[in-house]
């Protein structure tokens, strides 16, 4: 049997298939990461080769996984075919190859021990493009079916903990180190990208990389979350068949629908969900199980109950939002259901849930990615819940954005205020402001705050929050940032303008970035990223060289820091401070030593002759 990608054969009997999970083109193979095959090559951890997920290597059937090696210290910028030709040239005949170009190592398997040993002897210590290669034995790949089966045999509370809080059993100090390392990698990539897109910054970048471990700016120590458990003030629970077979279970999915998993597990033993939210889930689950309407099926598009969102606050207020697909029900049937919900949570058994605000949302077949544009029908209780943050009061509507970890948000916003370097003459542009938390928390220190937010509910909340806190120097505009921001920015005449942006996961629209670049009077930008990798294009556009498309002097990153708002997960918020590079002179580094000059010249040659 011949592989689609090369003339290297693929084992029919190998339960791991090829070295990748599926056959792909060579370019895809280069970029693919394999968590089952880390560079640690020995099989001393986990289950040994004698059984479990490695049992298949004991069978009589052939698998090249038995004869696998790891080749390390490969040259940069080589491709799959380069490696294959190099091995063939030196008399090495691989069975399968998996190349990890960014990590500069590859896994290679052979048909028998003789060919493997011959390859190890031939390649180890060999020089290729000034790199001395090293070869060592590699750990076989775990059988994916047995590995999945093993995971499914674990107790449900462990399975759901692994799904929603994957770092639950990792010491918190180690969690912080992993997150900081992740942000360090983002900054190192940003450094390379800035060099690729703004050659004038290369001398400055060279000095920065020497100082800050290949990063373009210093990365300050990660700020931990003040609370590690029950920190989420907003949770979205799905409704479906439980992993234990119970219908109408409210909780979290064990996996994604596209991964073939719709099983739901109760959040009762999860560490990040508050006890108040768990109480609402339990009460709501009792209600729908006593109700004749079926759960919505994403497979058949039939059924009604879809989702439950619970929002809580530190002042013990709780909002529940019920998402329901009306299908072909009559209006009077839906109104009766709403009355039953009202009665259950105000007078019936659900009263113990402690809900202070209840909403009902009709959610048919999705016409957009989110639920923010769906109207909320108020069922009972107050229209909002309220929260206190940094000594200020905030009201929160069903669709309004508010950071999900309030104590950690105080740490985040305090850092933002410190980095913004504000005074009484400053004007703050708070982009993607949500309920106005950042701008309102800074308002007493500046001349004016202007907030921009897409969600109309959030804008109304922000205005009410400014009034409730006695602020008169704050204004808010509703609309897409890319439509509103350029007009607002052009109207600002203050000599001291600072923008603070806290966009959704995908980052800011390119029109906003272009408007920021054009506004030369905007000297400082604080970017709060919930996903720094996803915001990379924003960072690059802020720093790229001026062109017909990107006008205005570039920014450069001067400080960065991670703030942990999501303990027990790999997520964190990242703050980057950008400042305007007013002239090329600002980018010229101080006088270099002879050694630094030699290194810098070598660095420039590498960029010219071996571009990324």
């Amino acid at each position: 049997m011949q592989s689609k990608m090369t003339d290297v054969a693929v084992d029919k009997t190998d339960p791991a298939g090829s070295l990748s999970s599926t056959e792909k083109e060579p370019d895809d193979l280069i970029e693919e990461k394999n968590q089952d095959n880390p560079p640690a090559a020995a099989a001393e951890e986990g289950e040994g080769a004698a059984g479990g997920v490695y049992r298949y290597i004991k069978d009589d059937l052939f698998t090249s996984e038995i004869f696998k090696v790891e080749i390390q210290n490969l040259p940069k910028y080589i491709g799959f075919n380069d490696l294959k030709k190099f091995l063939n040239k030196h008399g090495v005949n691989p069975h399968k190859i998996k190349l990890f170009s960014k990590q500069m190592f590859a896994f290679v398997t052979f048909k028998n021990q003789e060919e493997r040993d011959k390859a190890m002897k031939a390649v180890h210590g060999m020089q290729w493009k000034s790199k001395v290669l090293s070869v060592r034995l590699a750990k076989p790949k775990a059988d994916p079916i047995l590995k999945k089966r093993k995971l499914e045999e674990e107790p449900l509370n462990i399975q759901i903990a692994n799904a929603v809080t994957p770092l639950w059993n990792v010491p918190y100090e180690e969690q912080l180190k992993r997150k900081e390392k992740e942000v360090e990698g983002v900054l190192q990539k940003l450094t390379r990208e800035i060099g690729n897109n703004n050659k004038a910054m290369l001398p400055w970048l060279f000095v920065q990389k020497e100082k800050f471990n290949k990063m373009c700016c210093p990365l300050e120590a990660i700020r931990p979350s003040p609370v590690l458990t029950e920190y989420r003030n907003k949770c979205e629970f799905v409704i479906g068949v439980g992993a234990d077979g119970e219908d109408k279970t409210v909780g979290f999915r064990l996996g994604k629908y596209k991964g073939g998993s719709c099983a739901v597990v109760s959040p009762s033993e999860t560490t990040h969900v508050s006890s108040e939210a768990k109480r609402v889930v339990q009460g709501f689950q009792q209600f729908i199980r006593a109700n004749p309407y079926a759960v919505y099926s994403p497979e058949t598009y039939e059924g009604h109950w879809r989702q439950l969102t619970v929002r809580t606050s530190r002042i013990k207020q709780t909002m529940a939002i019920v998402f329901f697909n009306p299908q072909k029900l009559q209006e009077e049937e839906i109104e009766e259901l709403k009355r039953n919900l009202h009665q259950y949570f105000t007078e019936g058994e659900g009263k113990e849930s402690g809900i202070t605000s209840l909403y009902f949302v009709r959610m048919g077949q999705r016409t957009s990615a989110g639920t923010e544009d769906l109207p909320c029908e108020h069922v009972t209780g107050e229209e909002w819940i309220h929260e206190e943050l940094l000594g200020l009061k905030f009201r929160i509507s069903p669709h309004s954005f508010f950071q999900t970890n309030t104590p950690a948000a105080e740490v985040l916003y305090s850092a933002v205020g410190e980095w913004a370097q504000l005074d009484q003459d400053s004007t703050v542009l708070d982009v993607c402001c949500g309920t106005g938390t950042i701008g309102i928390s800074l308002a007493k220190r500046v001349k004016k705050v202007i907030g921009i937010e897409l969600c109309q509910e959030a804008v109304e909340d922000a205005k009410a929050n400014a009034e409730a806190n006695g602020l008169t120097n704050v204004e808010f505009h509703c609309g897409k940032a890319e439509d509103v921001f350029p007009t607002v920015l052009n109207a600002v005449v203050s000599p001291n303008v600072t923008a603070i942006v806290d966009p959704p996961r995908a980052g800011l629209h390119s029109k906003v970035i272009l408007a920021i670049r054009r506004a030369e009077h905007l000297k400082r930008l604080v970017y709060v990223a919930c996903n720094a990798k996803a915001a990379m294009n924003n960072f690059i556009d802020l720093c790229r060289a001026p062109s017909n498309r990107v006008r205005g002097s570039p920014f450069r990153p001067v400080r960065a820091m991670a703030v942990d708002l999501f303990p027990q997960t790999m997520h964190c918020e990242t703050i980057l401070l950008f400042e305007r590079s007013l002239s090329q002179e600002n980018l010229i580094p101080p006088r270099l030593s002879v050694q630094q000059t030699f290194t810098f010249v070598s660095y420039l040659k590498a960029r010219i002759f071996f571009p990324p």
Side-chain angles (χ1 to χ4, degrees):
M1 176 179 177
Q2 298 293 318
S3 164
K4 284 165 48 180
M5 61 183 182
T6 69
D7 59 354
V8 179
V10 178
D11 305 331
K12 284 185 179 181
T13 57
D14 183 354
S18 68
L19 283 175
S20 59
S21 56
T22 57
E23 292 297 333
K24 301 190 180 194
E25 296 302 315
D27 287 344
D28 293 329
L29 275 176
I30 291 170
E31 294 297 327
E32 183 172 338
K33 289 183 172 59
N34 187 343
Q35 298 300 323
D36 296 322
N37 281 316
E44 69 274 3
E45 59 182 357
E47 292 197 50
V53 293
Y54 301 109
R55 188 178 64 201
Y56 69 96
I57 69 174
K58 296 284 289 182
D59 295 339
D60 294 331
L61 300 175
F62 167 73
T63 170
S64 63
E65 287 291 310
I66 306 171
F67 312 115
K68 182 161 72 171
V69 300
E70 178 187 339
I71 303 178
Q72 297 179 316
N73 203 33
L74 293 169
K76 288 184 179 180
Y77 318 124
I78 65 165
F80 177 90
N81 289 328
D82 296 324
L83 178 57
K84 183 168 180 283
K85 288 177 182 177
F86 175 81
L87 294 175
N88 291 155
K89 178 182 175 182
H90 293 88
V92 176
N93 299 307
H95 184 67
K96 292 183 291 185
I97 297 173
K98 180 156 186 164
L99 175 63
F100 296 75
S101 62
K102 293 182 179 179
Q103 288 80 15
M104 292 181 288
F105 70 91
F107 289 113
V108 182
T109 69
F110 300 88
K111 293 181 179 180
N112 53 54
Q113 182 176 342
E114 181 182 355
E115 290 190 8
R116 182 197 68 188
D117 294 347
K118 175 186 172 184
M120 293 184 72
K121 185 175 181 180
V123 178
H124 186 73
M126 186 178 290
Q127 186 166 325
W128 185 20
K129 294 186 178 180
S130 76
K131 292 283 189 178
V132 178
L133 307 182
S134 65
V135 185
R136 62 178 181 175
L137 296 174
K139 181 179 176 180
K141 183 175 181 179
D143 185 320
I145 295 176
L146 290 177
K147 184 179 178 183
K148 183 178 180 183
R149 188 176 299 159
K150 181 185 175 186
L151 291 174
E152 290 173 347
E153 290 172 355
E154 292 181 325
L156 288 178
N157 64 320
I158 300 297
Q159 290 188 50
I160 197 62
N162 290 335
V164 299
T165 50
L167 302 184
W168 65 274
N169 60 348
V170 177
Y172 190 55
E173 286 302 317
E174 176 62 24
Q175 293 183 36
L176 295 178
K177 287 178 183 177
R178 292 187 189 183
K179 296 182 185 190
E180 199 164 56
K181 193 71 176 175
E182 188 84 7
V183 176
E184 182 179 298
V186 170
L187 292 175
Q188 289 171 343
K189 179 179 180 182
L190 175 59
T191 305
R192 295 191 296 270
E193 293 293 346
I194 293 174
N196 295 338
N197 291 279
N198 193 336
K199 303 302 181 188
M201 284 196 185
L202 283 176
W204 173 78
L205 283 173
F206 173 75
V207 174
Q208 296 295 96
K209 288 174 66 175
E210 290 282 301
K211 287 182 183 178
F212 305 119
N213 189 28
K214 300 181 181 180
M215 295 182 290
C216 50
C217 64
L219 174 61
E220 300 184 12
I222 186 171
R223 302 267 179 99
S225 172
V227 291
L228 304 184
T229 59
E230 298 194 19
Y231 60 83
R232 287 198 65 93
N233 58 37
K234 179 182 179 182
C235 291
E236 296 177 346
F237 302 102
V238 296
I239 307 169
V241 177
D244 57 2
E246 286 282 350
D247 192 17
K248 298 184 180 179
T249 297
V250 184
F252 297 118
R253 277 207 185 113
L254 280 176
K256 295 182 179 179
Y257 177 78
K258 66 180 181 181
S261 174
C262 289
V264 178
V265 176
S266 165
S268 59
E269 295 187 57
T270 55
T271 59
H272 65 321
V273 179
S274 68
S275 55
E276 291 86 357
K278 292 175 182 177
R279 202 158 49 237
V280 173
V281 167
Q282 185 63 29
F284 179 69
Q285 184 173 272
Q286 290 178 1
F287 175 82
I288 63 173
R289 284 182 174 176
N291 187 279
Y293 297 119
V295 169
Y296 176 81
S297 167
E299 184 179 356
T300 64
Y301 306 110
E302 299 173 344
H304 301 276
W305 299 112
R306 297 199 62 163
Q307 178 179 305
L308 173 70
T309 296
V310 181
R311 307 189 74 154
T312 57
S313 71
R314 292 192 289 188
I315 61 174
K316 302 303 179 184
Q317 294 184 350
T318 301
M319 176 185 290
I321 310 162
V322 176
F323 292 82
F324 185 85
N325 190 325
Q327 300 289 7
K328 297 181 180 180
L329 293 179
Q330 299 297 315
E331 184 62 30
E332 50 266 32
E333 294 177 283
I334 295 175
E335 289 300 320
E336 182 182 0
L337 174 60
K338 289 163 61 179
R339 285 193 296 271
N340 291 340
L341 280 166
H342 176 283
Q343 191 277 331
Y344 177 80
F345 283 109
T346 56
E347 302 172 16
E349 294 180 22
K351 186 176 181 179
E352 298 301 316
S353 301
I355 290 176
T356 59
S357 176
L358 179 62
Y359 280 90
F360 184 86
V361 177
R362 307 183 194 211
M363 185 179 182
Q365 306 310 327
R366 283 195 181 182
T367 56
S368 64
T371 59
E372 294 82 6
D373 54 343
L374 297 173
C376 294
E377 302 172 37
H378 185 237
V379 177
T380 187
E382 298 184 28
E383 293 185 43
W384 312 279
I385 59 171
H386 297 82
E387 184 60 287
E388 292 181 354
L389 182 144
L390 294 173
L392 300 164
K393 299 175 182 178
F394 295 90
R395 87 174 195 192
I396 305 169
S397 294
H399 288 324
S400 297
F401 172 76
F402 196 92
Q403 286 286 3
T404 55
N405 181 340
T406 306
E410 293 182 317
V411 175
L412 176 71
Y413 295 157
S414 296
V416 168
E418 173 195 335
W419 286 25
Q421 302 171 44
L422 305 170
D423 57 39
Q424 288 298 319
D425 293 325
S426 300
T427 296
V428 172
L429 300 176
D430 186 4
V431 184
C432 304
C433 64
T435 54
T437 45
I438 295 179
I440 288 173
S441 68
L442 302 175
K444 291 182 179 179
R445 297 158 54 180
V446 301
K447 182 178 180 180
K448 190 173 186 63
V449 172
I450 303 173
I452 299 170
E453 170 59 41
L454 173 63
C455 176
Q456 181 65 50
E457 275 185 19
V459 170
E460 294 303 319
D461 287 342
K463 291 177 179 178
N465 292 333
E467 183 178 349
N469 288 286
L471 301 172
T472 58
N473 62 336
V474 182
E475 64 181 59
F476 295 96
H477 300 264
C478 183
K480 292 182 179 180
E482 59 267 30
D483 297 334
V484 178
F485 185 76
T487 304
V488 170
L489 187 55
N490 291 335
V492 174
V493 294
S494 170
N496 187 357
V497 183
T498 297
I500 299 172
V501 301
D502 186 7
R505 190 170 299 274
L508 290 170
H509 194 284
S510 60
K511 287 183 180 179
V512 180
I513 298 295
L514 296 179
I516 290 172
R517 284 290 300 268
R518 286 194 300 268
E520 294 278 2
H521 60 300
L522 176 55
K523 305 293 194 299
R524 188 176 295 109
L525 170 73
V526 181
Y527 197 118
V528 181
C530 61
N531 186 335
K533 288 182 178 179
M536 181 62 71
N537 286 338
N538 281 180
F539 302 158
I540 296 169
D541 284 343
L542 286 168
C543 303
R544 70 169 62 249
S547 64
N548 289 334
R549 184 181 78 90
V550 183
R551 300 181 183 275
S553 301
F555 287 81
R556 55 177 171 170
V558 295
R559 292 175 79 179
M561 182 175 69
V563 181
D564 186 19
L565 269 74
F566 314 101
Q568 328 309 333
T569 78
M570 271 305 296
H571 303 296
C572 66
E573 297 277 332
T574 305
I575 312 174
L576 276 88
L577 173 62
F578 292 89
E579 291 183 349
R580 182 85 67 170
S581 299
L582 297 180
S583 65
Q584 298 306 313
E585 287 74 19
N586 290 338
L587 301 178
I588 298 175
R591 186 179 298 276
L592 303 178
S593 68
V594 174
Q595 181 59 41
Q596 285 178 318
T597 302
F598 176 78
T599 307
F600 179 51
V601 171
S602 301
Y603 170 74
L604 288 179
K605 285 181 178 178
R607 301 303 295 251
I608 294 169
F609 295 109
F610 302 103

